[in-house]
Amino acid sequence: MSIKLPPVDEARLAAEWEADKEVLANLAANGDKPMIPRAVDVSFKGNDKDFDRVLEIASQFGMVELDREEDEEGDLFLFLECEQAVDEASVKALTKKCLQIEILCGVEYDGWGCEARTGAVH
């Protein structure tokens, strides 16, 4: 099954990129080598019904479910993981894809994270 991904609001993408740059700067400050592929987690806020649709779409892009958690306010979050580098182009592509999933599934993209990798690039 192939999914036609919708266009993303450029202002929203720009706002997410500002947050992404902070994460990348923090990783760089810890000696990260961004071209080293690693586990990157992304999260979405929503409900179980919508999360099933998220998984259906995200799995086509190599994402797998890590966990579902409820916060103190009762909001439900889905955590997914994929393997990738975290250079600027890779992060921009991941964020765009997550915003497209947000539009398609009626969930709220909540960001990404990973651990710094300082070893040799293979």
Side-chain angles (χ1 to χ4, degrees), residues 91-106:
V91 169
K92 284 180 178 179
L94 177 65
T95 297
K96 182 176 182 180
K97 197 166 288 148
C98 288
L99 291 174
Q100 291 169 315
I101 291 170
E102 173 186 88
I103 293 165
L104 287 171
C105 299

Side-chain angles (χ1 to χ4, degrees), residues 2 24 26 29 32 37-38 44 62-64 68 73 75 100 102 108 111-112 115:
S2 179
L24 292 173
N26 187 34
D32 186 62
R38 82 283 309 269
F44 294 92
M63 296 182 195
V64 296
R68 295 181 191 206
E73 290 83 41
D75 293 322
Q100 291 169 315
E102 173 186 88
E108 182 181 327
W112 66 276
E115 292 184 11

Side-chain angles (χ1 to χ4, degrees), residues 14 17 29 33 37 46 50 53 61 64 83 87 95 106 109 112-113:
W17 177 239
K33 293 184 172 37
D50 293 335
R53 177 82 171 127
F61 302 109
V64 296
E83 187 84 11
D87 59 285
T95 297
Y109 172 58
W112 66 276

